[in-house]
Amino acid sequence: MKKRLIGFIAFIVLLVLLAAAGFAFIKNIKAPVSSTKEESVRIEIPSGMSVSGAASLLKEKGLIRNAKLFYYVARYPSLKKVLFRASDEEAFVLRSGIYYISPSMNIIQIQSILASGQQEYIKVSLPEGLTISKIAAELEENRICSAKEFIAVCKSADFAEKNGIAGESCEGFLFPDTYFLTVGMTAESVAKIMIENFYAKIQEIPTLAAMNAADLYQAVILASIVEREYRIESEAPLIASVFKNRLRRNIGLYSCATVEYILTEIEGRPHPERILIEDTKIDNPYNTYKWAGLPPGPISNPGMVALRASADTPKTNYYFFQIVDPAAGKHIFTTNFDEHVQSHNLYTKSNKK
């Protein structure tokens, strides 16, 4: 009888010890990794990652003590109440994104952040006058999307048509602005944001806003040339007036910017320091020295100054403009060839963009 009593007591003690050990173990693995507020760690949760994959990543980064506990708490929401005295028992939904997690956070806090969908936004500033390819390079450098995919989307006639663009590509309709984007976006979604911004911005220019798709496309082509020609804002409307006067008389626009577009965007050459006489003889529909009228499409993505100049152009008698200060981008405007100051070299404007 005495032996049985001793055995029973020993069994009870063992159970207590096991329970205490189990309690201590659970208390330890559910506790934050650090008791002090340390610098947050950047975590990227790609689309399609499983909860167990996220748990393993968090354990690897030293942000949780036990990956299995993270998984079970996510899988069985009732454990939140039992282990963490949480008031809610909502199911955990892992959302892709980029998050900053502190080692001082417990599992519930971490899961709350990973379920929020709040992402790290990357600021991308696109100046006026960039082309599709240059915008694509900026996006890839910032890890927003692939440059190749962005170019393919923006040069798709079907995508352009879906977005109300009358041309064969989206060139000219990717509004230059500061965008807050996220890593790994689709090229299509990025392009759509920029195009929608373009349409929103031109509402500030009633003349453009009232145009049909075909007329708007022609206005954007002209604006894209003005964008690459002007340096001083007050000269943009005067440059547009020269081009419109020449268009009415079926005189070639003689725009260095269109030749530069051929050299850099079509032929893939480096940006030239100046346009040479032989460059103006290139047989290409974008060459406004060889062909009268507007080129087939925009040569850049213009901003508000150039768009407004193209839409609300003042009436002048100017048919020529000549750069007189290449460093400042200052031009002289004249009404006839005799007044026109002819230079020996045709300057490309310094890249103001």
Side-chain angles (χ1 to χ4, degrees):
M1 182 71 179
K2 188 175 180 181
K3 288 183 179 179
R4 286 182 182 179
L5 180 60
I6 292 172
F8 178 74
I9 292 172
F11 176 72
I12 294 298
V13 170
L14 179 62
L15 284 179
V16 171
L17 290 174
L18 288 173
F23 178 78
F25 174 74
I26 292 174
K27 183 179 180 181
N28 179 62
I29 64 172
K30 76 174 188 176
V33 172
S34 174
S35 59
T36 59
K37 191 169 183 179
E38 296 182 10
E39 188 174 345
S40 296
V41 177
R42 185 178 183 275
I43 293 292
E44 184 171 345
I45 304 294
S47 179
M49 175 175 268
S50 65
V51 173
S52 60
S56 298
L57 177 62
L58 291 166
K59 179 68 172 65
E60 180 187 327
K61 296 290 186 180
L63 295 169
I64 58 174
R65 295 178 182 273
N66 190 283
K68 286 186 177 179
L69 181 63
F70 183 94
Y71 172 80
Y72 286 126
V73 171
R75 180 74 177 79
Y76 304 103
S78 57
L79 287 176
K80 291 183 187 180
K81 196 168 187 178
V82 174
L83 297 177
F84 296 93
R85 298 181 180 179
S87 58
D88 70 277
E89 295 183 21
E90 292 183 11
F92 171 67
V93 178
L94 179 65
R95 302 185 192 280
S96 62
I98 296 174
Y99 305 92
Y100 286 87
I101 308 296
S102 170
S104 63
M105 295 177 180
N106 65 30
I107 286 175
I108 299 302
Q109 291 171 321
I110 293 173
Q111 288 187 357
S112 176
I113 290 173
L114 298 185
S116 69
Q118 293 179 353
Q119 302 193 24
E120 174 193 46
Y121 288 97
I122 296 173
K123 181 180 178 180
V124 180
S125 295
L126 302 173
E128 294 87 348
L130 296 186
T131 58
I132 288 172
S133 65
K134 288 183 173 63
I135 292 173
E138 287 286 328
L139 294 172
E140 184 166 280
E141 185 177 339
N142 284 280
R143 300 186 305 119
I144 306 300
C145 64
S146 156
K148 184 177 179 181
E149 290 176 4
F150 186 79
I151 290 170
V153 166
C154 291
K155 292 192 175 181
S156 163
D158 287 341
F159 183 74
E161 184 180 5
K162 286 177 184 176
N163 286 277
I165 299 170
E168 295 295 309
S169 83
C170 301
E171 192 83 271
F173 289 77
L174 306 173
F175 193 79
D177 208 342
T178 296
Y179 294 93
F180 293 88
L181 307 169
T182 57
V183 171
M185 293 180 69
T186 65
E188 186 170 328
S189 63
V190 177
K192 196 163 184 64
I193 288 171
M194 295 178 183
I195 294 167
E196 288 176 350
N197 192 21
F198 169 86
Y199 285 118
K201 293 292 186 183
I202 66 168
Q203 296 307 308
E204 299 174 26
I205 308 174
T207 309
L208 287 184
M211 289 181 180
N212 59 39
D215 290 341
L216 178 60
Y217 192 68
Q218 297 300 303
V220 171
I221 293 175
L222 178 57
S224 75
I225 301 173
V226 173
E227 183 65 64
R228 295 304 307 170
E229 289 285 357
Y230 89 89
R231 284 277 302 283
I232 299 171
E233 185 175 326
S234 61
E235 291 187 354
L238 299 178
I239 290 173
S241 76
V242 169
F243 288 147
K244 284 194 174 181
N245 288 339
R246 294 175 78 87
L247 287 170
R248 276 192 286 269
R249 296 280 297 273
N250 200 33
I251 303 171
L253 299 185
Y254 278 44
S255 167
C256 297
T258 61
V259 178
E260 179 195 332
Y261 182 81
I262 297 169
L263 297 176
T264 60
E265 296 296 319
I266 297 175
E267 297 188 353
R269 298 196 222 170
H271 190 284
E273 289 185 7
R274 63 186 63 187
I275 299 298
L276 304 176
I277 294 298
E278 53 263 36
D279 296 329
T280 67
K281 298 176 181 177
I282 296 173
D283 190 11
N284 187 287
Y286 278 87
N287 187 352
T288 56
Y289 280 87
K290 193 173 179 66
W291 308 104
L294 290 170
I299 64 166
S300 73
N301 289 277
M304 291 297 280
V305 170
L307 286 166
R308 200 179 298 278
S310 173
D312 301 322
T313 311
K315 291 183 178 180
T316 72
N317 294 320
Y318 297 140
Y319 281 84
F320 301 90
F321 63 92
Q322 169 69 38
I323 192 160
V324 292
D325 183 351
K330 184 175 177 57
H331 297 86
I332 186 170
F333 295 85
T334 51
T335 60
N336 59 64
F337 189 77
D338 290 335
E339 295 175 346
H340 182 52
V341 180
Q342 188 75 37
S343 72
H344 294 290
N345 295 301
L346 302 167
Y347 287 93
T348 344
K349 282 45 179 189
S350 300
N351 194 349
K352 64 182 168 61
K353 321 302 182 194

